[in-house]
Amino acid sequence: MGEYFGDILKRALDRRDFLKLTGASAVMLSFACGGGGGGSITGEGGITPTSSLSYKTIYPNNEDRVVVPEGYRVSILIKWGDPLDNGEPLNWNRVYEGPTTEDVERQKRCFGYNADFVGFFKLTSDRALLVVNHEYTNPELMFRGFDLNTSTPTREQADLMLHAHGVSVVEIRRKSDGSWEYVKGSPFNRRITGDTVCLISGPAMGHRLMKTSYDPNGLLVYGTLNNCAAGKTPWGTVLTCEENFHSYFGGDLSSISDDLVRSIHQRYGVPSRRARLYGFHMYYDRFNINREPNEAFRFGWVVEIDPYDHTRPPVKRTALGRFKHEAATTVVANDGRVVVYMGDDERFEYIYKFVTKGKYNPLNRTANFGLLDEGTLYVAKFNDDLTGEWIPIATVDGNRVIPNPNLPEPFQSDPVLCFINTRGAADLLGATKMDRPEDFEWNPITKSVFVALTYNERRGQSGYPGTDKANPRPLNHMGHIIEIKEQNNDPTSTRFTWVMAMLCGDPRATDENRKLYIYGQPAKETTPAISAPDNFAFDKLGNVWIATDGNPSPNRLAKNDGVYTLNVYTKELKMFLSGAPGCEICGPEFSEDYKTFFCTIQHPGEDGANTRWPYLGDGVVVPRPSVIQVQREDRKEVYL
Ligand code: FEO
Ligand code: CA
Ligand code: CA
């Protein structure tokens, strides 16, 4: 096994020094120069900002289908179990009755479960790559008779679930009717799973806490897990984010003798009671913390993937810190440095940003591949006077790691701990505990940063932190959205101001705590209710597209999740799409020409929702998480 790892590492390091200028990388250069937002708000093509988003709003509902406004059409692009090679689809019904080793092998080459992030990477005007995360699996929906309270998976069920996680890269092409289809057997198609070799780079590479019996040098990890949202870099890679990685680790914390290991695991919720649902710790030693106490340190990272080169291993970029990463979205500052905005999605956790030391090079793609290994990691502090500051946690400069001088031991003598135990460092620096930070993204048109705080029903409750201006609601069931302006519109700035863009809720609610406010104003009664904001996309005019994850809860709207649009000029909120029962909506994304809107229907049927969506008439008895696409019937840009 050691030799195997050595070969992969050698190949990866060789490739890092030299990437052949293939057709793919030439495509990338055009992406790098032309992509990433830009655009004019002064009425390109005769469109003025206020005349955009002219569709008639839909409203939250409980329909057992995907609903879009009049004048739009929706279709499925790819779903769990569709083959990425030229082989057969996953045999969903056999998997339901009891998967075989043959099914496990097929899952390794078929589209994974619970699609989350969607990233569109143009190849030509009618061809593109989609990069899609597969966040987690629902054994109670995949396998007949699986009881969430009592069942444990069989070996084949666990294996299948491990390979249904990770990331898919899939080529798509535009059909004559303007919609897209995926290309079976494309050489670009790729599955990265919970078992694919990933490299470790940045400050934590080789640290003693990163070493395990299968990787004694702390350089390589099997797999990436719980990939929730993500971001795209200007050089055409994906930063996929490992979120609730603790869910997969089982074992007994109290029998770990190393105090430091034990305390960091405790801070991150390792091990987890949820491990029983996946069973990985039953069948793989590395997920049992008593057999491999350090394996959990090798998850919780941002992982960089090159969709254009399937031979390049995913790389865990440890300078971006270790926490339950929701997403990692980038912007290039005027001076060429790259800034990455990141949320840690758990109640009372923090928001972070990373500023690279080096500058983005638009003329040499591979020169950017090490950019995320050096720079400064910051955590945010919000002040009640609507100002805020970015507090440095640590800086990586070459081989040196320089911790914030205010951090106590052991961060001074072992500063790499700032990256492995990022939460622990942030706790000591006075950062603001937020209401579950989800997406955190720079709007290229407004040049402000939107952060989704999905909800936190423990805020202000006994034994938990109270409210503050940035998290103003006790018992925050509905969630909120903050808009941040970096000082001088400079994303590298260490100071900012902020406003409450949205306190989510129902405009007709009588309880103030559940009422919808937009930029401080109560919303009109005709505005659709919204809760649990999760992920953002921005159209060409800077309008904010918001996907939700939580409307179905009886504590929120008891309606299906959806996609909403916030017109940044008129401040009008509309509902654009609603999903199947029990699902959340993820991955809002546009095609480069804005004529297609992509999103995912994740976990249809969860929490006992009665659906077998998408009902394709093919006799399949289980619901299937899918990527869907929406176009206007007149084929014009979706946001018009
Ligand atoms: Fe996986 Fe934070 O949603
Ligand atoms: Ca999310
Ligand atoms: Ca979510």
Side-chain angles (χ1 to χ4, degrees):
M1 185 180 280
E3 202 177 337
Y4 173 59
F5 277 126
D7 291 342
I8 291 169
L9 181 62
K10 183 171 182 302
R11 195 181 74 219
L13 294 179
D14 288 347
R15 292 190 61 82
R16 205 177 283 185
D17 294 335
F18 177 69
L19 176 73
K20 279 177 269 176
L21 258 182
T22 60
S25 52
V27 167
M28 273 320 310
L29 289 178
S30 72
F31 169 90
C33 300
S40 159
I41 62 168
T42 54
E44 260 181 47
I47 301 305
T48 61
T50 51
S51 71
S52 66
L53 301 174
S54 58
Y55 71 88
K56 187 170 168 222
T57 188
I58 64 167
Y59 286 92
N61 60 71
N62 297 105
E63 292 197 38
D64 194 2
R65 66 186 179 108
V66 174
V67 180
V68 292
E70 258 173 58
Y72 291 83
R73 60 180 184 189
V74 59
S75 58
I76 291 176
L77 179 57
I78 189 167
K79 57 192 180 299
W80 169 47
D82 282 343
L84 298 191
D85 61 6
N86 287 313
E88 292 294 309
L90 193 67
N91 188 330
W92 296 277
N93 289 349
R94 188 170 66 200
V95 167
Y96 186 59
E97 299 301 337
T100 63
T101 52
E102 183 191 337
D103 297 321
V104 174
E105 288 307 305
R106 284 311 299 146
Q107 180 62 83
K108 293 177 184 175
R109 291 164 185 80
C110 290
F111 198 67
Y113 205 79
N114 274 349
D116 197 298
F117 169 80
V118 176
F120 180 95
F121 291 84
K122 182 180 175 183
L123 289 172
T124 66
S125 61
D126 292 318
R127 291 173 59 222
L129 301 178
L130 280 195
V131 180
V132 182
N133 281 351
H134 303 294
E135 185 180 12
Y136 66 103
T137 49
N138 289 81
E140 78 282 16
L141 300 174
M142 300 164 82
F143 311 124
R144 182 197 286 277
F146 193 97
D147 185 319
L148 286 177
N149 295 313
T150 57
S151 298
T152 51
T154 64
R155 173 72 200 231
E156 289 76 18
Q157 288 174 335
D159 286 349
L160 189 127
M161 287 195 283
L162 186 70
H163 291 103
H165 278 73
V167 181
S168 290
V169 179
V170 57
E171 183 179 346
I172 58 172
R173 67 180 164 224
R174 202 184 323 239
K175 297 192 289 185
S176 57
D177 69 357
S179 67
W180 299 79
E181 64 184 357
Y182 89 92
V183 182
K184 281 183 198 170
S186 162
F188 286 106
N189 290 355
R190 180 182 186 189
R191 274 308 318 281
I192 293 160
T193 77
D195 203 35
T196 302
V197 171
C198 303
L199 301 180
I200 298 167
S201 81
M205 182 174 74
H207 188 272
R208 75 176 175 87
L209 294 183
M210 300 295 277
K211 297 176 180 176
T212 67
S213 58
Y214 79 88
D215 173 32
N217 297 315
L219 303 174
L220 298 155
V221 189
Y222 277 134
T224 178
L225 287 169
N226 214 268
N227 302 77
C228 189
K232 300 190 288 190
T233 65
W235 52 96
T237 60
V238 168
L239 302 179
T240 180
C241 292
E242 297 180 330
E243 195 188 39
N244 292 307
F245 67 91
H246 64 298
S247 309
Y248 307 99
F249 291 91
D252 173 22
L253 189 65
S254 65
S255 54
I256 289 183
S257 55
D258 184 320
D259 289 344
L260 182 67
V261 171
R262 205 174 53 246
S263 68
I264 302 175
H265 282 344
Q266 194 157 23
R267 181 66 182 83
Y268 285 78
V270 173
S272 166
R273 274 176 303 179
R274 292 185 65 78
R276 180 180 54 76
L277 304 180
Y278 303 104
F280 300 165
H281 67 300
M282 297 161 51
Y283 304 113
Y284 304 91
D285 282 355
R286 65 195 183 99
F287 292 109
N288 180 329
I289 63 167
N290 301 116
R291 301 223 171 94
E292 285 288 0
N294 287 352
E295 181 73 348
F297 293 127
R298 295 141 58 82
F299 291 84
W301 302 105
V302 171
V303 186
E304 186 169 12
I305 292 171
D306 183 354
Y308 294 95
D309 183 355
H310 63 86
T311 67
R312 188 182 291 276
V315 183
K316 301 205 177 190
R317 297 284 180 198
T318 64
L320 300 180
R322 177 171 169 270
F323 41 92
K324 294 176 188 174
H325 282 279
E326 166 70 25
T329 64
T330 57
V331 58
V332 181
N334 284 340
D335 69 2
R337 286 183 292 164
V338 177
V339 179
V340 187
Y341 291 98
M342 301 174 284
D344 181 355
D345 181 9
E346 197 163 333
R347 295 167 185 82
F348 305 110
E349 291 300 338
Y350 308 112
I351 62 173
Y352 298 86
K353 78 175 177 185
F354 181 80
V355 181
T356 60
K357 177 189 172 199
K359 295 181 178 180
Y360 168 54
N361 182 344
L363 302 176
N364 180 352
R365 183 180 189 227
T366 54
N368 302 300
F369 276 46
L371 213 46
L372 299 176
D373 287 339
E374 285 184 87
T376 301
L377 180 64
Y378 298 87
V379 65
K381 178 174 191 287
F382 288 77
N383 301 318
D384 281 355
D385 64 359
L386 305 183
T387 65
E389 59 193 287
W390 288 105
I391 305 168
I393 296 174
T395 297
V396 186
D397 186 356
N399 290 326
R400 290 192 314 149
V401 177
I402 305 132
N404 182 315
N406 296 323
L407 284 170
E409 287 296 353
F411 293 105
Q412 296 299 327
S413 56
D414 189 357
V416 172
L417 290 176
C418 295
F419 298 94
I420 296 173
N421 182 19
T422 306
R423 285 180 164 186
D427 289 340
L428 298 163
L429 292 170
T432 301
K433 295 178 184 302
M434 310 297 287
D435 285 349
R436 282 194 60 190
E438 297 263 21
D439 214 350
F440 186 16
E441 190 154 357
W442 177 271
N443 183 331
I445 305 302
T446 61
K447 301 199 187 314
S448 54
V449 208
F450 286 80
V451 56
L453 290 313
T454 195
Y455 56 82
N456 183 355
E457 72 286 357
R458 296 179 196 157
R459 173 73 66 181
Q461 302 306 292
S462 169
Y464 293 104
T467 58
D468 52 48
K469 262 273 179 69
N471 301 276
R473 282 179 160 169
L475 208 69
N476 182 7
H477 280 299
M478 294 298 188
H480 57 285
I481 296 172
I482 291 175
E483 183 177 4
I484 291 172
K485 275 273 182 195
E486 300 274 30
Q487 192 172 49
N488 304 319
N489 286 341
D490 175 1
T492 70
S493 174
T494 57
R495 300 205 168 269
F496 61 86
T497 56
W498 60 274
V499 293
M500 187 62 68
M502 194 181 297
L503 288 169
C504 298
D506 186 333
R508 291 160 293 276
T510 48
D511 177 355
E512 275 299 306
N513 210 42
R514 306 172 72 87
K515 211 174 166 78
L516 174 59
Y517 285 85
I518 300 174
Y519 288 95
Q521 300 300 314
K524 286 191 295 193
E525 288 225 341
T526 51
T527 307
I530 179 173
S531 75
D534 191 339
N535 290 115
F536 298 129
F538 304 108
D539 64 31
K540 201 175 181 180
L541 302 176
N543 297 312
V544 189
W545 294 60
I546 306 160
T548 69
D549 173 16
N551 282 355
S553 164
N555 286 322
R556 283 180 278 278
L557 307 184
K559 304 284 186 190
N560 295 340
D561 270 309
V563 176
Y564 298 73
T565 58
L566 174 65
N567 185 314
V568 291
Y569 306 94
T570 63
K571 311 301 186 208
E572 185 182 18
L573 182 76
K574 289 184 180 179
M575 187 177 196
F576 177 73
L577 180 148
S578 62
C583 83
E584 68 174 279
I585 313 278
C586 306
E589 172 74 322
F590 292 97
S591 58
E592 201 204 42
D593 60 9
Y594 294 93
K595 291 181 176 175
T596 297
F597 174 80
F598 301 96
C599 65
T600 71
I601 302 297
Q602 188 183 121
H603 57 73
E606 196 175 72
D607 287 335
N610 182 21
T611 184
R612 287 191 281 125
W613 185 90
Y615 301 104
L616 296 177
D618 53 4
V620 177
V621 299
V622 289
R624 283 167 285 177
S626 304
V627 178
I628 61 172
Q629 54 181 330
V630 184
Q631 289 96 17
R632 279 171 65 111
E633 283 167 359
D634 64 10
R635 299 203 195 177
K636 291 181 177 169
E637 287 80 357
V638 172
Y639 61 82
L640 298 181

